Amino acid sequence: MNLPEISIYFAIFLSLLLSSIANAQFSSPILIEPNTGQITNIVPADLNNDGLKDIIATRKFSANNLISYYLNEGDFSFGPEATIATGSSQVTNISVGDFDDNGWLDIVSIGDAGNAVTMHMNSALSFSAEELDSFTFFESDIDVVDLDNDDDLDIVAVGGTTLKVYYNDGMSNFTTQIIQGPIEDFFDLTVGDIDADGFEDVITGGSNISVYKNSSGTLVYDSLRSNQIPGLFNLFVRLEDIDNDGDADLFSEDNNSTGVRWMENDGAGNFANLLIIDSTAINIRSGTLKDFDNDGDLDFIIIKDFDLYLYENDGAGDFGAPNLIQDEPTLISVVESEDLNNDGLADIIWSADLSVQQNNSPLSGTEYLVDKDLVQIYPNPSAEQVILDCPQNGVLNVFDAKGQLVYENLPVLKGVNDLKIELVPQIYFFYLKLKTGPVITKKVVIK
């Protein structure tokens, strides 16, 4: 065998080896339920307050189970489907948050036969529906965020040619405002503080990409920033820190649903340096960004040609060639990610058929099997003082109900810790990384 032949065989061997390593990062699919090709949206959230993220799913064209959930029973086992909403058709998207401050995560949905925005209020897994609004649209999206910094969760909704905000008074009573901007077909929205002024801004995707600046709680169309972003029919937009410099960059599909790209934020909310990551990816209607390889930067998984591909970030926003994760005989139409077993690693959830895959990153340890009940937080609910009893030293991160970081890298000592932190009344998630490697998640209610 001559040298060129050896080089060819070596290249093939190396390619297969790297592919097998990438695939080995995730377990084989664990089937939750078959025949779920109608699922169009997946949202992980802890609906029953047991510290495990459950799976909420929408089926846009199903009369029997427009919105349903599967309770996480631990060890990647999920209970049977439980239906929240039925109806004619076309619930397009949902988001979650505790709107009435009762300690249980509620659901807000957009889209049905009546083009409605509907609240599904949760009281110990008993849901009651109330229509909040309706307006004309074909495609739509919805998100939950504290826009006016009054410590309760508001709602942002887009659909057709309309952008609306629903301001919460803290008791799930809402005041509606229509936000003026260019007339366009809205398909997607993303929320983030692009200029570090303490207020969450909104970027929409659709016939073009538009920036809506948050001015002390009120969204205003920002033509200057919008014109910095080339866009023509962009159905997938996300604000995330791609290059690890502490600000929110813009990740999106490229024009006309061909390719995936990102633009760098200069820290003041201006976007530039557009970089095409993969020009061959088409019809990216679903994707998820997390640190999948546990190396401190954001990677992403998208559906490409109806299969799942992982793109790994080098930390500076440069991505290698896509790694195939899953090639299913069924067409994968939606993907999401979340830490489903509280080991600190983002697992993946997709359909069809509704399945999960455990993240077995080689960078993680096996010590996470420490019993989470050894970590005690009390009183819970609490009005003021929060005590954390821990079996070993660690570091604590505190997130609010929307997933925003409130406290970062708080030192925790073995034994009883009187946490000297100020928390406004709402739900929080305490992520405690112990000295030996495990990450313990606890839900804390401040009244």
Side-chain angles (χ1 to χ4, degrees), residues 57-229:
T58 65
R59 291 170 172 81
K60 186 175 180 179
F61 302 106
S62 173
N64 297 323
N65 41 15
L66 289 178
I67 305 175
S68 57
Y69 65 86
Y70 302 81
L71 291 180
N72 188 342
E73 298 175 342
D75 296 325
F76 292 92
S77 176
F78 290 82
E81 180 181 17
T83 300
I84 295 174
T86 60
S88 299
S89 66
Q90 300 182 11
V91 167
T92 51
N93 277 299
I94 58 173
S95 193
V96 299
D98 184 6
F99 298 108
D100 55 2
D101 197 31
N102 71 342
W104 296 84
L105 288 178
D106 312 303
I107 299 171
V108 60
S109 65
I110 186 168
D112 60 12
N115 286 347
V117 176
T118 305
M119 308 295 300
H120 306 270
M121 306 306 293
N122 182 3
S123 177
L125 285 187
S126 176
F127 290 88
S128 58
E130 177 183 350
E131 184 174 315
L132 181 61
D133 190 16
S134 64
F135 57 98
T136 302
F137 54 79
F138 175 66
E139 286 288 347
S140 57
D141 197 13
I142 198 162
D143 206 348
V144 173
V145 60
D146 184 4
L147 277 179
D148 50 6
N149 287 353
D150 64 350
D151 299 322
D152 55 44
L153 294 177
D154 311 305
I155 300 168
V156 183
V158 294
T161 59
T162 304
L163 170 59
K164 284 191 175 185
V165 172
Y166 304 90
Y167 291 99
N168 188 356
D169 68 354
M171 297 300 293
S172 70
N173 301 306
F174 293 89
T175 302
T176 307
Q177 181 181 9
I178 297 178
I179 307 302
Q180 300 300 319
I183 302 300
E184 61 178 329
D185 289 325
F186 288 115
F187 278 83
D188 200 15
L189 71 90
T190 184
V191 176
D193 184 1
I194 63 175
D195 56 355
D197 67 348
F199 286 89
E200 299 292 314
D201 310 298
V202 173
I203 292 183
T204 60
S207 58
N208 52 60
I209 295 178
S210 297
V211 178
Y212 291 84
K213 181 73 184 68
N214 189 339
S215 179
S216 300
T218 300
L219 294 182
V220 179
Y221 174 68
D222 191 323
S223 60
L224 180 61
R225 288 186 171 94
S226 298
N227 290 335
Q228 296 170 347
I229 306 169

Side-chain angles (χ1 to χ4, degrees), residues 115-411:
N115 286 347
V117 176
T118 305
M119 308 295 300
H120 306 270
M121 306 306 293
N122 182 3
S123 177
L125 285 187
S126 176
F127 290 88
S128 58
E130 177 183 350
E131 184 174 315
L132 181 61
D133 190 16
S134 64
F135 57 98
T136 302
F137 54 79
F138 175 66
E139 286 288 347
S140 57
D141 197 13
I142 198 162
D143 206 348
V144 173
V145 60
D146 184 4
L147 277 179
D148 50 6
N149 287 353
D150 64 350
D151 299 322
D152 55 44
L153 294 177
D154 311 305
I155 300 168
V156 183
V158 294
T161 59
T162 304
L163 170 59
K164 284 191 175 185
V165 172
Y166 304 90
Y167 291 99
N168 188 356
D169 68 354
M171 297 300 293
S172 70
N173 301 306
F174 293 89
T175 302
T176 307
Q177 181 181 9
I178 297 178
I179 307 302
Q180 300 300 319
I183 302 300
E184 61 178 329
D185 289 325
F186 288 115
F187 278 83
D188 200 15
L189 71 90
T190 184
V191 176
D193 184 1
I194 63 175
D195 56 355
D197 67 348
F199 286 89
E200 299 292 314
D201 310 298
V202 173
I203 292 183
T204 60
S207 58
N208 52 60
I209 295 178
S210 297
V211 178
Y212 291 84
K213 181 73 184 68
N214 189 339
S215 179
S216 300
T218 300
L219 294 182
V220 179
Y221 174 68
D222 191 323
S223 60
L224 180 61
R225 288 186 171 94
S226 298
N227 290 335
Q228 296 170 347
I229 306 169
L232 179 63
F233 201 59
N234 308 85
L235 306 183
F236 182 83
V237 291
R238 295 291 184 270
L239 282 169
E240 297 284 0
D241 185 6
I242 302 298
D243 53 2
N244 253 5
D245 63 354
D247 53 42
D249 306 303
L250 179 59
F251 179 92
S252 71
E253 64 177 2
D254 200 20
N255 294 336
N256 293 313
S257 301
T258 57
V260 59
R261 72 188 196 188
W262 74 280
M263 294 186 71
E264 182 182 3
N265 187 343
D266 67 356
N270 302 301
F271 297 96
N273 302 325
L274 186 149
L275 177 66
I276 301 294
I277 301 170
D278 184 354
S279 62
T280 67
I282 60 174
N283 295 321
I284 307 165
R285 297 301 301 274
S286 184
T288 179
L289 291 93
K290 292 284 174 59
D291 182 9
F292 291 106
D293 54 8
N294 201 21
D295 65 351
D297 54 48
L298 285 179
D299 315 297
F300 68 92
I301 294 174
I302 59 171
I303 300 170
K304 177 181 176 181
D305 299 328
F306 300 104
D307 297 321
L308 291 185
Y309 285 85
L310 168 67
Y311 297 72
E312 294 181 332
N313 190 347
D314 69 355
D318 295 317
F319 295 85
N323 294 316
L324 179 64
I325 296 176
Q326 195 55 237
D327 181 3
E328 282 290 298
T330 57
L331 301 181
I332 299 178
S333 60
V334 59
V335 61
E336 188 51 84
S337 61
E338 187 54 78
D339 182 5
L340 296 173
N341 61 340
N342 291 339
D343 68 347
L345 296 172
D347 311 297
I348 52 177
I349 315 158
W350 48 266
S351 188
D353 294 314
L354 184 59
S355 303
V356 297
Q357 288 182 253
Q358 182 178 0
N359 188 343
N360 296 314
S361 172
L363 297 179
S364 67
T366 58
E367 300 290 340
Y368 69 85
L369 296 175
V370 170
D371 188 350
K372 67 178 182 180
D373 292 334
L374 293 177
V375 176
Q376 299 290 327
I377 298 178
Y378 56 89
N380 189 15
S382 174
E384 296 178 358
Q385 187 181 38
V386 178
I387 304 296
L388 189 154
D389 192 352
C390 189
Q392 56 183 259
N393 294 349
V395 175
L396 175 67
N397 290 330
V398 178
F399 295 83
D400 63 17
K402 182 58 182 162
Q404 298 168 326
L405 184 64
V406 180
Y407 285 98
E408 183 176 16
N409 295 332
L410 297 176

